[in-house]
Amino acid sequence: GIPEAISNEHSGLLVPESDADALENAIEFAIENPQAMKIMAAAARKHAELAHNEQIQVRAFVKTIEELA
């Protein structure tokens, strides 16, 4: 899920589901802090590249197939 992919205030901003006020605050923060958002975007990209690269995905796929065999 999203909380597993994003670390709040490190690689993105998470808000509680159906919380319009929290969403508004997060959007305002993003607009008012473009440099912080660039830093979070870079952290998110780095996490995605490390955690979801092709080699890791192939290993996970093979492991799943072996468990099903």
Side-chain angles (χ1 to χ4, degrees):
I2 292 174
E4 291 79 23
I6 297 173
S7 175
N8 192 38
E9 297 182 4
H10 174 71
S11 59
L13 299 173
L14 296 174
V15 296
E17 187 176 334
S18 302
D19 188 337
D21 291 332
L23 179 59
E24 177 184 9
N25 291 337
I27 292 170
E28 285 178 359
F29 177 86
I31 291 169
E32 294 171 359
N33 297 281
Q35 188 59 32
M37 298 309 297
K38 286 180 184 179
I39 292 168
M40 284 188 233
R45 181 181 179 107
K46 184 176 181 178
H47 171 74
E49 289 172 345
L50 293 173
H52 303 288
N53 68 44
E54 183 178 340
Q55 187 176 15
I56 290 171
Q57 295 302 315
V58 168
R59 279 191 211 140
F61 179 74
V62 169
K63 181 180 176 186
T64 300
I65 296 300
E66 288 174 348
E67 289 172 355
L68 294 173

